[in-house]
Amino acid sequence: MVDTTPLGRAVDHFADRLRAAPQSRLQRGAAAEALAAARELARWAQELERPGAEPRIMPDAGMFAAADQLSVAANDLAVVLSADDEVERAVRVIEEAQKRAGV
């Protein structure tokens, strides 16, 4: 079993920063970056779970739900990852999105 602790830490940090961010920061793109990362992680998890199936797109539930959507997508992905390099890739997706979000 692969250790997904680094992924959990990265997503918790980003999600906490989003929850603490002012609405103006979320509106200026932080929430959109989080949703984009969540969608990427969710698509990846679906591809691992059901190769070849058409992935479902995570809906936009609004800027105040972006942190939760990111957490759910990362946790779903963590369940199906099977290699340390996949965990590292997922952490990079989250960290890069957080940098772009500016939180």
Side-chain angles (χ1 to χ4, degrees), residues 6-42:
L7 175 56
R9 277 196 294 260
V11 75
D12 287 348
H13 183 258
F14 188 14
D16 288 347
R17 299 291 302 214
L18 288 166
R19 290 181 185 107
Q23 182 175 349
S24 60
R25 175 68 53 106
L26 296 174
Q27 290 172 321
R28 285 194 311 263
E33 286 295 341
L35 177 60
R39 285 177 170 168
E40 182 176 349
L41 298 178

Side-chain angles (χ1 to χ4, degrees), residues 4 21 30 40 52 54 59 66 74 100:
T4 60
E40 182 176 349
E54 184 70 27
R100 290 189 302 271

Side-chain angles (χ1 to χ4, degrees), residues 65-87:
D68 293 330
Q69 288 183 288
L70 181 65
S71 293
V72 167
N75 288 325
D76 286 351
L77 179 62
V79 171
V80 295
L81 292 179
S82 60
D84 290 335
D85 64 325
E86 292 175 329
V87 174

